[in-house]
Amino acid sequence: MRNLGIATITILPSLLLWWHIYKKRTEHCTTMFIIIAFLLECMVIFRILECPYLLPDNPFKNGTWLYHFYQTLDKALLEEFWAKFIVLHVIITIGCSNTISKYNIIVIIVTIASTFSLIENMLYVFDEDYQGNRLILAIVRIFCAVGHCSYAQVMGWFYGKARQEVARINRRRAVLYLACSIVIPTLMHTTANLLTKVFKLGIMGMAIWAGYKTLCLLLGLRLAKLALKEIEMC
């Protein structure tokens, strides 16, 4: 029964965040792409988690701030680029028309992020080698799920902007927004990982980290709301 409760705590945040975005979708074809996104992410996530590094070896001295920044940037780039952006780009490029709305792009990328965080959280919480309190870990991982979905909404927003500029034949802006769809979520993710260093401050450190994740969520939800308003205004 305890394991069932822990599993529920681990899974529920990802599902609730996904449903909050999904229920407002505006195109029926998005459902098919959501299924494809879920299955494709399930196929790639284990490969991503097995690959610890994306960038070259860390050139900075161990223990320095730059060393930790490089390490966290490497992990964030691996997850945001390979586990989310590439999957999104494949789905949009192969399966979707040029007229898909920015909001529905956000729906698809949040599906990808929710799938990633759901599986990652389960692997962390039920790791046989973990010796700590699994319930506390499950609660902490709630904020990790919040973070993944928040970064995804930012990525979807800028990716949607890039596609809008492509339709307007403005390649320079399209490239800029496409770069932002990778760089900004990666930096947000990197900052969140760096803030785990303040855990040594105890409750205060945890509050700072959780507060940052909450701000990221509010930003993501705001961008999703703006994307939805664009559809309503058309």
Side-chain angles (χ1 to χ4, degrees):
M1 184 62 69
R2 178 182 172 83
N3 286 342
L4 179 60
I6 292 173
T8 302
I9 293 172
T10 305
I11 294 172
L12 200 58
S14 298
L15 294 179
L16 289 176
L17 287 169
W18 171 79
W19 178 251
H20 177 76
I21 299 297
Y22 172 78
K23 68 181 181 180
K24 299 176 183 178
R25 74 195 190 284
T26 59
E27 299 169 14
H28 294 296
C29 67
T30 309
T31 302
M32 179 180 66
F33 295 123
I34 284 172
I35 295 171
I36 295 172
F38 174 78
L39 295 175
L40 190 56
E41 185 66 14
C42 286
M43 287 190 290
V44 303
I45 183 173
F46 293 102
R47 179 59 184 147
I48 294 297
L49 294 176
E50 288 174 1
C51 181
Y53 304 110
L54 181 63
L55 299 175
D57 292 342
N58 197 325
F60 303 106
K61 184 178 179 181
N62 193 352
T64 63
W65 184 87
L66 285 174
Y67 178 87
H68 291 304
F69 175 80
Y70 191 91
Q71 289 289 95
T72 53
L73 176 65
D74 195 359
K75 186 176 187 299
L77 185 60
L78 179 69
E79 295 181 1
E80 297 301 324
F81 181 70
W82 284 110
K84 297 176 188 174
F85 179 85
I86 292 297
V87 176
L88 172 67
H89 190 63
V90 167
I91 293 171
I92 298 295
T93 302
I94 295 177
C96 292
S97 67
N98 292 328
T99 58
I100 185 170
S101 67
K102 189 190 302 178
Y103 187 81
N104 284 283
I105 290 175
I106 292 176
V107 173
I108 294 171
I109 187 61
V110 168
T111 301
I112 294 169
S114 297
T115 304
F116 181 91
S117 63
L118 189 152
I119 296 174
E120 184 186 47
N121 285 357
M122 291 293 287
L123 291 175
Y124 268 102
V125 171
F126 293 104
D127 183 1
E128 293 181 356
D129 296 328
Y130 183 70
Q131 301 298 323
N133 189 312
R134 296 182 189 274
L135 179 59
I136 293 177
L137 178 60
I139 294 172
V140 170
R141 295 300 303 181
I142 289 175
F143 292 96
C144 295
V146 167
H148 280 298
C149 292
S150 303
Y151 317 143
Q153 290 175 84
V154 175
M155 180 181 290
W157 167 266
F158 283 107
Y159 189 91
K161 293 284 287 185
R163 287 184 65 84
Q164 288 177 341
E165 295 302 330
V166 168
R168 295 168 184 160
I169 318 178
N170 192 334
R171 295 186 177 180
R172 184 172 297 179
R173 283 195 174 186
V175 170
L176 175 62
Y177 284 128
L178 198 63
C180 287
S181 72
I182 301 172
V183 173
I184 294 178
T186 299
L187 291 178
M188 291 172 67
H189 194 156
T190 301
T191 302
N193 289 349
L194 281 174
L195 284 175
T196 60
K197 303 300 178 184
V198 303
F199 277 11
K200 60 185 178 182
L201 299 177
I203 299 298
M204 180 63 70
M206 289 286 291
I208 293 172
W209 179 74
Y212 174 77
K213 293 277 189 175
T214 303
L215 288 175
C216 289
L217 176 63
L218 293 176
L219 172 61
L221 293 175
R222 176 60 179 168
L223 292 179
K225 186 175 182 179
L226 290 175
L228 192 59
K229 280 186 177 181
E230 287 185 11
I231 300 173
E232 295 171 348
M233 291 173 63
C234 294

